[in-house]
C-alpha cells in the first residue's frame, strides 16, 4: 500500500495545473490594474501573531490551527489566513514610510485543521488583498469591486454579496452589554461552545452553525441598530457607493465573520446553489488590527477568496477553460541510429523558442507517433536516413496529416511563417 496525501489536502495534477495559472494570471492582471502589488509571506509564523490577530475565542484559533514547536520550543503555526501575516510584514518592513496607503495582494496556501468536506480542505489556496492606511468607505467598495471584476473576467455567474457592519470598539461596548443581557436567560438553551462564547465574546454566538443557537439569535438585538454615528455614516456611504455602481447586495445583520479583527464593514461573496460551503470570498474592515499587532493606529480593509471553491463554481457553471498549450513539435526517429541527430535537433528547436520533445527510447516509429498523438503535439518532425542525407526532416501536421520535407535549419521559419501545412 503506498502512502496517500494527508487528509484534507490534494494534489493539483498536470491536467488541472493550467486552470490554476489561468486563474492566477487573471488575478494578477486585474489587481495590478487596481494598483495592488504582490506580497509573499512565509507559510508559517509565530503562533502569537494569529492569537493576537485573529482572536482567542475564534474557531480558527481554538480548534483549527496547525501549531508545532520549533527546536527551541518557540511555537509556530502554519498560516490559517493571510491578513495578520500581511500586517506583520507591513509593520516589520516599515511599509507606511514609503506611502500613506499601501495596497497589497497575495496568492498562496493557507492551513486550517477543519473537518474536510466538499469545498473545505485543510490546505487550501486563497488570493486576497489588503488596503492599509485609509478609512475611506471608497476603499471598502474598491475591494469588493476588485473581487467582482476577477470573478467576472473568469466568467462566474450567480454570485451574491452579503454585507453588514459590525461596528467599532466604541459602539460595541454598549451593544455587547445588550447582547449579553438578551442571552443571559437563554444560556441553558445555547450549545456548550456558545456558553463559552457568551463569556468571552458573545458576538461569536452569531457564528454558531447549530440550528438551536441560530434560532435564538434570530430575535437578538442586531449590531446594525446599535452603531455609533461614525460607523452608521460609514455603512451608509459604502451602501450608497455600491448602489451608485449598481452592485446588488443583500444586508445580513447577523453576519459577523469568523475572525475577531473586523470593524465596520464585513462582507461575503456567496455562490448560489453551492451548498454549505458557499462562501467563495470574505472580508471587511479591520481598523484596529495594525495597532493590536504593535503599530500606530492605522485602518485597513481587504478580503480573501478560496481558489478551490472558485474552481468548483467554475466547473459547476461549465465555464470553458482555455485549452492548455500543446507541444509544437515531437521528433520521431525512424531508427535508433538517428538518436544523436534527433537529440541535437531537439535542443536546437527549443533554443529557437518553439516547444519540442522526443521519446528517448528506441521504440518503433509507430509507438513514437502514438506518444505524439497522446500529448497532442501540433507537428511531428520525422528523421530517417533519407531525410538526413539531405539535411531535412519530414514535417507532419498532426491534425490534417499533411506532410512536407523541410530543411533542418528552416523548421522554425516554416512553423512561424506558415506553410502549405497550415502551420
Ligand atoms: P475567511 O472568510 O476565513 O477570511 O476566508 C476567506 C475565504 O477562504 C472563504 O470565503 C473561503 O472561500 C476560503 N476558505 C476558508 N477556509 C477554507 C477551507 N477550509 N477550505 C477551502 N476554502 C476555504 C479570511 O481568511 C480573511 N483573512 C479575509 C480578509 C482579508 N479579511 C480582510 N482581509
Amino acid at each position: 500500500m503506498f502512502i496517500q496525501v494527508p487528509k484534507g489536502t490534494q494534489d493539483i495534477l498536470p491536467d488541472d495545473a493550467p486552470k490554476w495559472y489561468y486563474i492566477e494570471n487573471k488575478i494578477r492582471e486585474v489587481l495590478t490594474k487596481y494598483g495592488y502589488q504582490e506580497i509573499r509571506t512565509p507559510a508559517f509564523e509565530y503562533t502569537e501573531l494569529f492569537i493576537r490577530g485573529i482572536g482567542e475565542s475564534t474557531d480558527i484559533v481554538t480548534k483549527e490551527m496547525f501549531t508545532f514547536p520549533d527546536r527551541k520550543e518557540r511555537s509556530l503555526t502554519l498560516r490559517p489566513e493571510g491578513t495578520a501575516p500581511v500586517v506583520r510584514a507591513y509593520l516589520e518592513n516599515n511599509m507606511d514610510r514609503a506611502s500613506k496607503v499601501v495596497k497589497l495582494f497575495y496568492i498562496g496556501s493557507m492551513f486550517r485543521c477543519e473537518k474536510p468536506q466538499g469545498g473545505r480542505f485543510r490546505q487550501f489556496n486563497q488570493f486576497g488583498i489588503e488596503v492599509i492606511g485609509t478609512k475611506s468607505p471608497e476603499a471598502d467598495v474598491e475591494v469588493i469591486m476588485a473581487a467582482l471584476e476577477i470573478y467576472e473576467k473568469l466568467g462566474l455567474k450567480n454570485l451574491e454579496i452579503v454585507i453588514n457592519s459590525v461596528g467599532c470598539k466604541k459602539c460595541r461596548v454598549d451593544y455587547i452589554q445588550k447582547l449579553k443581557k438578551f442571552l443571559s436567560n437563554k444560556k441553558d438553551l445555547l450549545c456548550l461552545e456558545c456558553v463559552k462564547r457568551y463569556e468571552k465574546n458573545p458576538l461569536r454566538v452569531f457564528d454558531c452553525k447549530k440550528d438551536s443557537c441560530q434560532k435564538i439569535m434570530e430575535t437578538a438585538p442586531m449590531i446594525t441598530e446599535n452603531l455609533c454615528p461614525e460607523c452608521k455614516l460609514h455603512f451608509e456611504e459604502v451602501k450608497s457607493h455600491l448602489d451608485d455602481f449598481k452592485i446588488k447586495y443583500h444586508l445580513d445583520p447577523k453576519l459577523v465573520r469568523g475572525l475577531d479583527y473586523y470593524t465596520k464593514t464585513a462582507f461575503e461573496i456567496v455562490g448560489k446553489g453551492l451548498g454549505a460551503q458557499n462562501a467563495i470570498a470574505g472580508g471587511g474592515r479591520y481598523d484596529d488590527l495594525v495597532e493590536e499587532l504593535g503599530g500606530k493606529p492605522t485602518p485597513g480593509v481587504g478580503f480573501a477568496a478560496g481558489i478551490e471553491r472558485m474552481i468548483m463554481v467554475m466547473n459547476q457553471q461549465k465555464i470553458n477553460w482555455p485549452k492548455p498549450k500543446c507541444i509544437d513539435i515531437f521528433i520521431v526517429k525512424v531508427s535508433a541510429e538517428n538518436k544523436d541527430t534527433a537529440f541535437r535537433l531537439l535542443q536546437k528547436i527549443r533554443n529557437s523558442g518553439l516547444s519540442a520533445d522526443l521519446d528517448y527510447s528506441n521504440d518503433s516509429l509507430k509507438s513514437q507517433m502514438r506518444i505524439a498523438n497522446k500529448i497532442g503535439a501540433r507537428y511531428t518532425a520525422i528523421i530517417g536516413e533519407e531525410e538526413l542525407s539531405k539535411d531535412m526532416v519530414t514535417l507532419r501536421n498532426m491534425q490534417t496529416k499533411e506532410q512536407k520535407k523541410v530543411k533542418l535549419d528552416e523548421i522554425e521559419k516554416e512553423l512561424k511563417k506558415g506553410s502549405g501545412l497550415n502551420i
Side-chain angles (χ1 to χ4, degrees), residues 64 112 114-121 124 209 268-281 306 308-310 312-313 316:
E64 296 170 1
R112 294 184 194 176
E114 294 189 80
K115 198 162 169 243
Q117 50 176 269
R120 197 205 271 167
F121 307 95
F124 58 98
K209 303 288 172 287
E268 281 185 355
I269 302 180
V270 298
K272 289 188 202 158
L274 253 196
Q277 309 305 318
N278 66 350
I280 58 167
E308 285 80 0
R309 289 192 194 170
M310 187 158 116
M312 272 171 60
V313 180
Q316 228 176 46

Side-chain angles (χ1 to χ4, degrees), residues 30-250:
V30 173
L31 296 181
T32 311
K33 195 179 80 173
Y34 277 71
Y36 290 82
Q37 289 182 303
E38 186 163 356
I39 182 165
R40 300 181 192 202
T41 63
F44 55 87
E45 300 270 356
Y46 288 119
T47 305
E48 184 63 18
L49 174 72
F50 300 115
I51 298 179
R52 266 165 69 185
I54 301 173
E56 248 174 318
S57 61
T58 57
D59 279 358
I60 298 182
V61 169
T62 53
K63 311 189 258 200
E64 296 170 1
M65 297 206 297
F66 284 101
T67 297
F68 51 96
D70 70 5
R71 285 171 187 268
K72 291 194 172 149
E73 297 298 318
R74 280 173 302 210
S75 182
L76 299 172
T77 293
L78 293 181
R79 60 177 180 195
E81 62 105 45
T83 311
V86 167
V87 170
R88 195 250 331 120
Y90 166 86
L91 289 170
E92 195 170 340
N93 297 287
N94 303 309
M95 288 192 203
D96 58 325
R97 287 196 200 148
S99 92
K100 197 167 155 277
V101 179
V102 175
K103 296 171 59 164
L104 302 166
F105 80 90
Y106 50 90
I107 306 176
S109 289
M110 307 293 156
F111 308 84
R112 294 184 194 176
C113 192
E114 294 189 80
K115 198 162 169 243
Q117 50 176 269
R120 197 205 271 167
F121 307 95
R122 291 188 170 173
Q123 176 174 354
F124 58 98
N125 290 275
Q126 282 186 342
F127 71 90
I129 68 182
E130 311 296 348
V131 186
I132 307 175
T134 172
K135 56 183 184 143
S136 295
E138 285 89 338
D140 308 29
V141 176
E142 177 183 291
V143 301
I144 295 176
M145 289 203 296
L148 290 181
E149 183 163 338
I150 291 169
Y151 291 137
E152 191 203 307
K153 288 256 155 69
L154 289 167
L156 277 88
K157 288 180 270 312
N158 287 334
L159 303 180
E160 186 174 50
I161 299 167
V162 184
I163 191 165
N164 190 24
S165 172
V166 293
C168 66
K169 268 198 282 205
K170 274 181 279 161
C171 40
R172 247 184 261 159
V173 179
D174 283 348
Y175 174 65
I176 298 230
Q177 287 311 321
K178 274 194 193 170
L179 196 55
K180 275 204 151 174
K181 198 164 159 222
F182 167 82
L183 287 171
S184 60
N185 59 354
K186 300 177 183 65
K187 271 199 281 184
D188 42 351
L189 300 172
L190 293 173
C191 71
L192 281 179
E193 292 235 14
C194 281
V195 175
K196 281 191 225 153
R197 289 175 177 136
Y198 168 85
E199 298 298 342
K200 281 193 170 170
N201 180 359
L203 257 181
R204 292 257 71 85
V205 181
F206 279 113
D207 216 23
C208 183
K209 303 288 172 287
K210 297 208 174 65
D211 286 345
S212 48
C213 297
Q214 281 187 6
K215 193 146 181 39
I216 293 172
M217 297 313 276
E218 265 165 29
T219 51
M222 298 295 162
I223 179 81
T224 28
E225 276 137 38
N226 292 276
L227 296 176
C228 66
E230 190 194 321
C231 289
K232 203 168 171 192
L233 178 67
H234 186 94
F235 197 34
E236 290 308 318
E237 285 187 327
V238 169
K239 288 186 286 182
S240 142
H241 286 302
L242 289 172
D243 292 337
D244 206 29
F245 285 106
K246 306 217 169 1
I247 298 171
K248 289 206 186 85
Y249 53 87
H250 167 77

